[in-house]
Amino acid sequence: MKILIGLALPVAGFVLFLGAPIVHGIEFGYILEVEARGYTENAHNPARFDSNFAVSIEPEFKHSFNGGDTLFTFTSFGRWDNKDHARRHIDIRELNVVHVAGNWETLAGLGKVFWGVAESSHLVDVINQTDFLEGIDGEDKLGQPMLRLSRSFDQSALTLFALPGFRERKFLSIENPIALPCEVNNKPEYESDDGDDHVDYALRFSGYRGIVDYGLSWFHGTSRDPIFNCGSRRIPFYALIDQYGLDVQATSGAWLWKLEAIRREFGNSIAANDFTAVVGGLEYSFYGMSDGLFDLGVLAEYHHDSRGDRATVVFQNDLFMGLRLGFNDAESSEVLAGAFIDRDDQTSSFRIEANRRAGKFFWADSRISLEAQAFSNVDPDNISFSLRDSDFVLLSLALFF
């Protein structure tokens, strides 16, 4: 939090000083969302609750000035949950100033960066800490303090990052059915003597050539993934790593070919071994099916982790297969359904995400979403064994003001 406050105050003051006399170029809006989640099974731990209700709000303020060459962004997030106290939190997602001058772009403050092309996971996405209080799919991220400098060329860009400060991962309460099977100590340990004040660095070269989009990345600093177990050691340990990444996507007609690969090296740390991980696959789209009623995408991806059974992630020898339905209606209805199958022990999980616009609700645009996940044939030695009875259905309504 000291990093957030330390960056927030000077950045906000800088923007107010420069932008106070200007009233044009201001945008403000917020998203208000209510959700209800129910768990269909909870046999292995009756002490855990079987349903919960939550409300969240995400305000966003943007102010452009200097003829549109400079943009200030402030996005915050707050959630209240009626059962899980860990999900009652407030966070700053973004608080930064971006300035563009010719082929150069500079960002200072808290920002979010996304790298990756795969559908089922994003190996190369290493800058921001994952917000597991918001979901187990790893899609939600915390804002990261950063200085970012980017230089664009004809078909490529080179981006440098200085990341002054680390944000630790937060965990769900033990009463939550999709939480880890143990209480996690809230005082993490770090390999770096600087602890959460260690300055990380990253470099990314990205661009396109013909039908191929690509990215090459390097990250040096504190790993966003903690190392611990639920046995004798429940204290998260954050090691220093070097991660080299590659992401490639080729588009050819209705075909999308995707690849992400990383090499993670732990240096002097004895907490983990170096490893290589890869996810690759394809997506093929059938357009205008049923007289143009919908488009259908077929997805398949394979995950490999060189650590095998010693991997600290779910996907180490797994196959993902899915379908994406995009309806050509006024409500922009979408459905994504997929299955993960562990090729070693046949542990399986099934997931569906669906959403559509629901018209005006009072004076706000609205969207209704459905999310469901089920686990099947979970092997006792599989890392996801604690989720074996945690099938759930989540229904949410988001209002856009």
Side-chain angles (χ1 to χ4, degrees):
M1 185 58 67
K2 61 184 177 181
I3 289 292
L4 301 183
I5 296 175
L7 278 171
L9 293 179
V11 170
F14 170 74
V15 171
L16 290 175
F17 173 76
L18 291 179
I22 305 174
V23 294
H24 65 278
I26 294 178
E27 298 179 21
F28 176 73
Y30 62 96
I31 304 172
L32 180 66
E33 186 172 28
V34 294
E35 67 174 42
R37 187 191 305 252
Y39 297 90
T40 60
E41 296 181 60
N42 199 15
H44 71 282
N45 192 342
R48 295 186 170 186
F49 54 76
D50 56 12
S51 65
N52 64 305
F53 172 81
V55 181
S56 68
I57 186 169
E58 186 173 351
E60 182 177 70
F61 173 84
K62 291 186 176 182
H63 183 192
S64 62
F65 48 98
N66 290 342
D69 291 337
T70 306
L71 176 66
F72 168 71
T73 300
F74 173 59
T75 305
S76 57
F77 179 84
R79 161 128 11 235
W80 177 86
D81 191 293
N82 73 324
K83 296 286 184 65
D84 192 337
H85 62 84
R87 298 189 77 213
R88 300 171 190 171
H89 66 119
I90 297 174
D91 184 53
I92 300 175
R93 298 306 203 202
E94 294 186 86
L95 178 60
N96 58 63
V97 174
V98 177
H99 180 70
V100 178
N103 294 326
W104 293 90
E105 180 181 285
T106 305
L107 179 148
L110 274 83
K112 294 210 297 186
V113 175
F114 173 76
W115 299 342
V117 296
E119 179 66 42
S120 51
S121 72
H122 306 296
L123 294 175
V124 299
D125 196 27
V126 70
I127 296 292
N128 294 85
Q129 177 63 271
T130 301
D131 186 356
F132 271 112
L133 298 179
E134 291 305 309
I136 61 175
D137 58 3
E139 297 292 332
D140 298 283
K141 301 291 182 176
L142 302 178
Q144 168 65 43
M146 66 175 65
L147 295 172
R148 187 184 77 196
L149 179 64
S150 182
R151 172 66 160 88
S152 61
F153 303 93
D154 289 339
Q155 296 181 330
S156 58
L158 179 65
T159 307
L160 306 173
F161 297 85
L163 310 168
F166 177 81
R167 304 195 63 189
E168 66 182 81
R169 183 172 297 179
K170 301 298 183 181
F171 299 94
L172 297 168
S173 302
I174 191 64
E175 297 84 9
N176 196 313
I178 56 175
L180 293 172
C182 65
E183 288 276 12
V184 179
N185 192 302
N186 60 5
K187 295 182 179 180
E189 297 178 352
Y190 298 87
E191 179 178 355
S192 170
D193 293 335
D194 296 324
D196 59 1
D197 291 326
H198 185 270
V199 179
D200 304 335
Y201 299 96
L203 173 69
R204 179 171 168 85
F205 182 73
S206 60
Y208 66 92
R209 290 291 186 274
I211 65 171
V212 177
D213 295 272
Y214 63 87
L216 294 166
S217 57
W218 166 74
F219 172 88
H220 171 78
T222 302
S223 173
R224 275 49 179 161
D225 300 320
I227 301 170
F228 65 93
N229 61 58
C230 284
S232 59
R233 184 177 178 84
R234 303 182 182 185
I235 301 174
F237 176 78
Y238 293 96
L240 291 174
I241 64 168
D242 280 281
Q243 176 172 302
Y244 306 90
L246 167 69
D247 55 278
V248 179
Q249 177 172 288
T251 306
S252 179
W255 290 94
L256 284 178
W257 301 88
K258 307 177 183 184
L259 174 70
E260 292 187 34
I262 63 169
R263 173 65 179 175
R264 182 172 294 187
E265 299 177 352
F266 289 85
N268 296 326
S269 174
I270 60 173
N273 296 319
D274 301 346
F275 70 91
T276 302
V278 178
V279 54
L282 58 87
E283 179 174 353
Y284 184 83
S285 296
F286 299 89
Y287 296 104
M289 299 191 69
S290 296
D291 296 325
L293 178 63
F294 62 89
D295 301 327
L296 173 65
V298 180
L299 304 93
E301 294 179 351
Y302 171 68
H303 297 257
H304 171 75
D305 192 303
S306 64
R307 294 171 292 180
D309 292 338
R310 297 179 290 107
T312 57
V313 295
V314 174
F315 306 130
Q316 42 77 36
N317 184 20
D318 293 70
L319 181 66
F320 168 77
M321 296 177 291
L323 297 174
R324 190 199 312 273
L325 286 172
F327 291 87
N328 299 313
D329 55 2
E331 293 77 20
S332 299
S333 305
E334 295 179 344
V335 179
L336 175 63
F340 295 90
I341 303 173
D342 190 305
R343 298 182 66 242
D344 291 326
D345 57 29
Q346 306 308 306
T347 293
S348 304
S349 66
F350 307 91
R351 185 176 181 86
I352 184 169
E353 300 174 2
N355 65 81
R356 63 176 293 166
R357 290 203 297 258
K360 290 289 185 178
F361 193 89
F362 294 107
W363 63 90
D365 293 325
S366 63
R367 183 191 67 210
I368 189 168
S369 301
L370 173 70
E371 180 181 328
Q373 186 150 355
F375 304 87
S376 175
N377 194 36
V378 184
D379 190 272
D381 294 327
N382 194 282
I383 195 171
S384 62
F385 184 67
S386 63
L387 297 173
R388 64 194 181 281
D389 295 323
S390 300
D391 301 354
F392 67 85
V393 177
L394 171 68
L395 184 65
S396 64
L397 174 67
L399 305 178
F400 299 84
F401 294 90

